[in-house]
Amino acid sequence: MNTGIEQPVKLYEKRIPVVTRSVKGRFRNLKSAILLLAYSVYFVLPWLPWSRHDAASQAVMFDMDGRRFFIFNLVVYPQNVFWLALLLFISAVILFFATSLIGRAFCGYFCFQTLWTDLFIWVEHLIQGERPARLRLLKQPWNAEKVIKIGSTHLIWLLVAFWTGMTFILYFGYAPDLLHRFFIGHAAYAAYVGVIGLTLTTYLAAGFMREQICAYVCPYGRFQSVMYDPETLAVAYDVRRGEGDRGRISPKGELKDRQTRLNQGHGDCIDCGFCVQVCPAGIDIRDGLQYRCISCGLCIDACNNIMDSMGYPRGLIRYDSEANLAASVPKAPYIDWKRWKLLGYVLAIVGMSAGLIYSINQRTDFEHSVQQIRQPLFVVLSSGEIRNRYQIRLTNKSDRDVQYRITAKDLPSGALDLGEMQNVTVHSGKSVIVQASVKLQPNQTKKYEHFEFVIQSLNNPTDRAVEAASFYSEKAE
Amino acid sequence: MSQDNKQTQGPQTTGHAWDGDLQEYNNPIPNWWLYAFYISVASAVIYWFIYPAWPIGGSFTKGFNTITYVNDKGITKTTHWNTRALLMAETNEAVAAQKPYYTKVANTPFEQITKDPELNSFVVSAGKQIFSDNCAPCHQQGGAGKIGFAPNLTDDDWLYGGHFANIQQTITGGRHGYMPPFAEVLTDTQVSQLADYVLSLSKIAVNPASAQAGDVLFHSETAACYYCHGANAKGRQEIGSANLTDKIWLWANVPGADTIAGKEEAVKNVIRNGLNKGVMPEWKDRLSADQIKLLAVYVHELGGGK
Ligand code: SF4
Ligand code: SF4
């Protein structure tokens, strides 16, 4: 149907509220376990103490003023932004890997949107009751009961949202102190903006937008389809088994008996609608794989419960692959990891992780850069000697003052001149610039065109960096 | 999807009809879009009240928002919000942030500054800024100067001395180099001889006989070069006369000429016409004493400092 022309399509439709039924089962338990773990990490981490010399004793802290991140014993400086890039790459590839293997597992179990929506629905359920009660409440006119129930739900949502935002900013300062300053009005402007912003977005996203975020806002939901293969496991309704030849039918009278149903050409689906009622995305999985499905597995639990109560075998809705479902003799669902694409992902993940670990292990406690001064590139002195100059920048990333010695490898003695700074003390967290000059006789310049600076911490013998440098000279005059 | 099922009624039109049957469909824009538009309009109105917005004759609406800054005469001013005042206010902040370092530089003896890594680092970065803003037009960005125009500050040759105090004095009071022209006094041969002598001092292979004659002339009362450049031709820093025995050239572009004749010509030009252009302006009115001190250390650190 050519709706665009003949019939004006409404561009924006009011959201139809999704009121989900609660469900018990394996996947629900798994979800709850992950949720508990994720919340414990998120809400408790900023309060975890950690002993540190020169900064707040907090295990994980993003110190914006000091331009460094503390993650347990690791201190990350802006110069290490490469690690962040690598970490993001690794995470992305893990996501691709997981998606090809088991579909939108991230969406259904780990995504913040799912986690917070789950929590909000749980609050809703706690106060307003099970799905039928909530639907009734939704339809009934405003009265004291409705005001109290809806009001308290929103109040708790707001409190949760507020604490979510609050916790987020606690990562950016020493938590007990920051919390105190926040409430007496002495925290930074950004803290208030952050908390208000996150409170509102959490409240809106988990309270009102829910599945709309997944369907319309989330970019990952948009491009996941390119990662699906026929072998990918996804939540699927076994149409052949559920519908039979004559379709699903509710179990009345003799149709309760499975054998009778099969004989009459009906499938196992008793059309109870449970799978639809529990779905947080508000869809009917029996319509087939669809982009709104976040693979949360709740419909599997719902249907399994029904199958159990009917005495039919489980797994009418299950994690299975398109290929297997279509096979003439389907095997038990299995994870098909023997695919080139997946092996490629594994290779990338292993390679990049190794790179990241190596890079983190190779870090020195100081940051350095050696820059040749290029204006002018070289200077001819009155004696005819040629001089190059270098600017060495040292940043002490450790938590105590450190003395460094700068030397040059492969240069004739006396060629390197550091003024007063052969040994230079740098305070913790500070940077200094050391000007080095190298003087060579015109006939030496060819020989020492390449040499190395060695920067050595005098406090810690293993902390040492070698930096290659070049010597420029004019064509001999 | 759900919305598709509801498209049962016929299309809506605006109700207008032209030529009997020409009609226009009514496709309203979505409400969220409309609200976003209204909010933008409201924001624009709020903006008019807060910031300068509307021209009125020779003036304009100035808005409620004000900004306070200290101008270069030290007077605190509050005006309507504008980017110029904003720049001033931000400059004030930057200056205040640098203040403790400047004070420390001002109160620390020169030699002490170069021994203090952090103070020295500050001098290198702040000095670079002052140098680029004020000195680089003549001495070039990195201080390499230009032959015939401004001296190289990165080598070890100094016309007026390369100690901290000399440099500070040069920046504060400026300098004016002068060498009289000899075209009227000397014959062309004599000028050539002198040029050869000067080149030979820098170990450039010239006609030895001519250089010999130049040597005599140099120390004679006829040319009297030794008055300024000294009997050993090493120059006199009190008056800024050049050291002629090193390989560094400021006014005669000797390194730039490929042939001996060309190098001779470069030197001869200077002897014939003299110099009245070695002018370095005084900076005491343009830069503060603290800035000049910092700059002196910076220039010293460019590599040539004694
Ligand atoms: S269809 Fe099933 S797996 Fe998909 S979102 Fe709904 S409940 Fe979750
Ligand atoms: S829960 Fe199972 S039996 Fe009930 S409607 Fe869904 S698929 Fe059919």
Side-chain angles (χ1 to χ4, degrees):
Chain A
M1 194 168 62
N2 205 351
T3 46
I5 295 170
E6 279 84 17
Q7 299 182 330
V9 177
K10 270 201 213 118
L11 289 179
Y12 183 74
E13 178 139 33
K14 244 175 101 109
R15 170 175 182 255
I16 303 158
V18 176
V19 182
T20 61
R21 181 182 284 280
S22 62
V23 63
K24 290 194 171 64
R26 273 159 64 190
F27 293 107
R28 177 66 259 183
N29 290 344
L30 180 61
K31 261 172 83 72
S32 303
I34 292 171
L35 186 137
L36 218 61
L37 182 75
Y39 281 157
S40 318
V41 171
Y42 179 72
F43 287 105
V44 176
L45 205 55
W47 300 97
L48 189 67
W50 202 263
S51 95
R52 232 172 237 129
H53 297 269
D54 67 328
S57 44
Q58 185 170 321
V60 175
M61 196 173 86
F62 305 133
D63 176 8
M64 287 304 187
D65 292 333
R67 303 267 191 286
R68 52 195 174 163
F69 289 178
F70 298 102
I71 302 165
F72 300 97
N73 270 336
L74 181 67
V75 187
V76 184
Y77 288 86
Q79 297 89 329
N80 303 123
V81 69
F82 163 72
W83 293 346
L84 180 66
L86 209 51
L87 189 70
L88 290 177
F89 269 125
I90 294 172
S91 314
V93 179
I94 290 179
L95 198 64
F96 300 163
F97 173 77
T99 306
S100 312
L101 204 60
I102 47 174
R104 289 176 84 170
F106 176 78
C107 300
Y109 297 89
F110 301 96
C111 176
F112 318 129
Q113 175 62 19
T114 303
L115 292 178
W116 262 268
T117 304
D118 230 15
L119 179 65
F120 274 40
I121 292 179
W122 182 75
V123 170
E124 214 172 66
H125 181 240
L126 202 70
I127 296 176
Q128 304 172 9
E130 192 50 276
R131 176 180 147 96
R134 299 217 300 276
L135 281 175
R136 202 180 327 115
L137 194 69
L138 206 64
K139 292 208 184 86
Q140 91 187 20
W142 284 98
N143 60 11
E145 187 206 2
K146 187 166 178 174
V147 169
I148 289 172
K149 282 191 172 166
I150 304 261
S152 51
T153 308
H154 283 257
L155 189 70
I156 294 179
W157 282 357
L158 271 171
L159 286 177
V160 171
F162 172 73
W163 199 248
T164 304
M166 194 67 223
T167 301
F168 183 78
I169 69 152
L170 293 184
Y171 282 92
F172 293 87
Y174 181 51
D177 171 54
L178 182 54
L179 193 66
H180 178 236
R181 275 187 293 133
F182 186 89
F183 283 110
I184 59 169
H186 284 180
Y189 177 62
Y192 295 100
V193 174
V195 172
I196 293 171
L198 276 166
T199 304
L200 285 181
T201 46
T202 309
Y203 178 61
L204 287 177
F208 298 90
M209 295 180 71
R210 294 195 179 165
E211 79 287 351
Q212 291 181 304
I213 297 274
C214 311
Y216 305 125
V217 182
C218 175
Y220 176 57
R222 305 277 88 190
F223 68 76
Q224 53 157 337
S225 56
V226 299
M227 290 178 255
Y228 268 70
D229 295 322
E231 292 81 21
T232 302
L233 285 194
V235 175
Y237 166 69
D238 187 341
V239 189
R240 271 190 294 184
R241 180 183 150 194
E243 310 280 318
D245 296 328
R246 295 181 52 205
R248 53 178 93 119
I249 193 163
S250 48
K252 287 193 206 96
E254 63 189 32
L255 281 174
K256 271 202 180 84
D257 179 51
R258 185 156 190 249
Q259 203 48 51
T260 320
R261 288 171 74 91
L262 290 179
N263 291 344
Q264 292 194 10
H266 292 295
D268 279 354
C269 174
I270 60 166
D271 211 6
C272 61
F274 254 53
C275 52
V276 180
Q277 292 178 16
V278 300
C279 177
I283 56 171
D284 185 346
I285 190 66
R286 294 172 301 172
D287 294 342
L289 181 61
Q290 42 208 293
Y291 76 100
R292 283 163 171 256
C293 173
I294 56 170
S295 252
C296 65
L298 292 182
C299 53
I300 304 182
D301 281 341
C303 190
N304 279 346
N305 292 344
I306 296 297
M307 291 295 119
D308 287 352
S309 72
M310 294 302 297
Y312 303 169
R314 287 179 156 218
L316 175 55
I317 302 179
R318 61 177 183 264
Y319 274 100
D320 207 341
S321 69
E322 218 176 281
N324 196 36
L325 279 167
S328 48
V329 192
K331 297 186 239 173
Y334 62 100
I335 295 180
D336 184 1
W337 57 271
K338 279 181 242 146
R339 284 184 272 149
W340 284 113
K341 180 167 129 183
L342 289 176
L343 294 179
Y345 284 147
V346 171
L347 211 67
I349 294 168
V350 170
M352 288 195 290
S353 307
L356 182 60
I357 292 168
Y358 176 78
S359 171
I360 289 178
N361 275 327
Q362 280 301 105
R363 73 188 192 275
T364 49
D365 258 349
F366 64 89
E367 192 63 49
H368 71 280
S369 75
V370 176
Q371 261 185 325
Q372 177 135 29
I373 293 179
R374 290 170 185 280
Q375 284 171 325
L377 207 43
F378 63 89
V379 177
V380 182
L381 301 177
S382 51
S383 59
E385 285 177 304
I386 296 172
R387 182 177 58 197
N388 277 205
R389 287 171 57 76
Y390 307 84
Q391 210 170 63
I392 302 172
R393 189 184 280 270
L394 281 181
T395 306
N396 177 0
K397 300 193 295 187
S398 74
D399 50 21
R400 66 210 72 170
D401 299 354
V402 176
Q403 201 178 33
Y404 300 94
R405 166 172 293 157
I406 302 169
T407 48
K409 230 164 64 180
D410 319 325
L411 278 187
S413 69
L416 175 68
D417 180 8
L418 290 158
E420 304 281 346
M421 313 250 179
Q422 293 88 353
N423 292 345
V424 51
T425 304
V426 187
H427 297 301
S428 169
K430 293 275 194 270
S431 297
V432 302
I433 299 170
V434 176
Q435 310 250 56
S437 74
V438 172
K439 234 190 298 183
L440 292 176
Q441 297 291 345
N443 57 1
Q444 293 177 316
T445 56
K446 267 271 142 320
K447 185 168 167 211
Y448 299 109
E449 225 171 341
H450 300 288
F451 65 96
E452 281 170 340
F453 281 107
V454 180
I455 304 162
Q456 167 80 55
S457 152
L458 293 182
N459 303 45
N460 175 5
T462 58
D463 230 14
R464 181 171 183 272
V466 177
E467 187 79 23
S470 312
F471 191 94
Y472 287 93
S473 60
E474 203 178 12
K475 36 190 171 44
E477 196 165 7
Chain B
M1 269 183 301
S2 54
Q3 53 262 53
D4 294 345
N5 307 336
K6 297 187 193 133
Q7 309 286 337
T8 41
Q9 72 279 60
Q12 277 185 6
T13 68
T14 54
H16 304 144
W18 294 269
D19 289 344
D21 59 352
L22 195 54
Q23 287 188 315
E24 191 184 8
Y25 283 143
N26 179 20
N27 279 332
I29 47 171
N31 278 343
W32 66 265
W33 198 99
L34 209 60
Y35 291 135
F37 176 67
Y38 291 150
I39 292 171
S40 319
V41 172
S43 317
V45 174
I46 294 170
Y47 192 95
W48 295 341
F49 282 106
I50 300 179
Y51 294 102
W54 286 98
I56 311 168
S59 178
F60 56 91
T61 59
K62 300 208 161 62
F64 294 139
N65 205 1
T66 60
I67 195 161
T68 305
Y69 63 93
V70 182
N71 70 7
D72 43 12
K73 296 191 182 62
I75 303 161
T76 306
K77 288 202 156 180
T78 300
T79 105
H80 68 272
W81 189 95
N82 64 77
T83 44
R84 216 177 297 174
L86 183 67
L87 175 69
M88 284 303 292
E90 283 171 359
T91 310
N92 290 162
E93 279 173 30
V95 167
Q98 286 194 334
K99 183 90 185 145
Y101 287 97
Y102 267 112
T103 314
K104 210 167 164 202
V105 170
N107 296 333
T108 311
F110 285 117
E111 274 78 15
Q112 224 46 51
I113 296 175
T114 54
K115 281 186 189 142
D116 180 329
E118 270 174 43
L119 209 49
N120 200 51
S121 302
F122 171 72
V123 168
V124 171
S125 27
K128 184 172 185 175
Q129 201 53 50
I130 305 178
F131 190 89
S132 313
D133 290 349
N134 300 286
C135 320
C138 293
H139 291 286
Q140 310 297 303
Q141 195 57 260
K146 210 171 188 164
I147 293 183
F149 180 53
N152 185 340
L153 303 175
T154 68
D155 61 24
D156 58 345
D157 188 37
W158 293 89
L159 291 174
Y160 297 94
H163 293 281
F164 290 111
N166 299 138
I167 300 173
Q168 190 181 28
Q169 195 194 338
T170 301
I171 302 172
T172 312
R175 299 290 185 186
H176 189 165
Y178 174 74
M179 162 160 163
F182 286 86
E184 310 275 299
V185 185
L186 302 173
T187 66
D188 198 51
T189 324
Q190 286 175 315
V191 172
S192 295
Q193 288 167 342
L194 274 176
D196 284 342
Y197 171 62
V198 169
L199 288 171
S200 74
L201 288 173
S202 304
K203 308 230 164 29
I204 292 169
V206 287
N207 176 353
S210 169
Q212 190 71 45
D215 186 358
V216 175
L217 205 49
F218 187 91
H219 295 95
S220 73
E221 292 304 320
T222 320
C225 308
Y226 72 96
Y227 264 41
C228 293
H229 289 286
N232 55 8
K234 284 192 186 302
R236 282 168 55 199
Q237 289 191 338
E238 324 81 88
I239 57 166
S241 66
N243 180 349
L244 302 175
T245 65
D246 59 23
K247 297 190 169 165
I248 291 164
W249 299 91
L250 170 56
W251 300 114
N253 191 357
V254 172
D258 290 331
T259 60
I260 298 288
K263 292 181 196 291
E264 260 171 17
E265 197 44 45
V267 180
K268 277 159 75 176
N269 251 332
V270 176
I271 302 174
R272 269 195 221 110
N273 303 325
L275 282 168
N276 196 7
K277 54 186 176 177
V279 180
M280 154 109 178
E282 53 175 59
W283 291 92
K284 59 173 185 277
D285 299 329
R286 304 265 301 268
L287 297 175
S288 72
D290 290 356
Q291 283 175 315
I292 290 178
K293 180 166 182 190
L294 187 139
L295 197 53
V297 182
Y298 177 77
V299 170
H300 188 271
E301 292 292 283
L302 282 175
K306 297 262 161 109

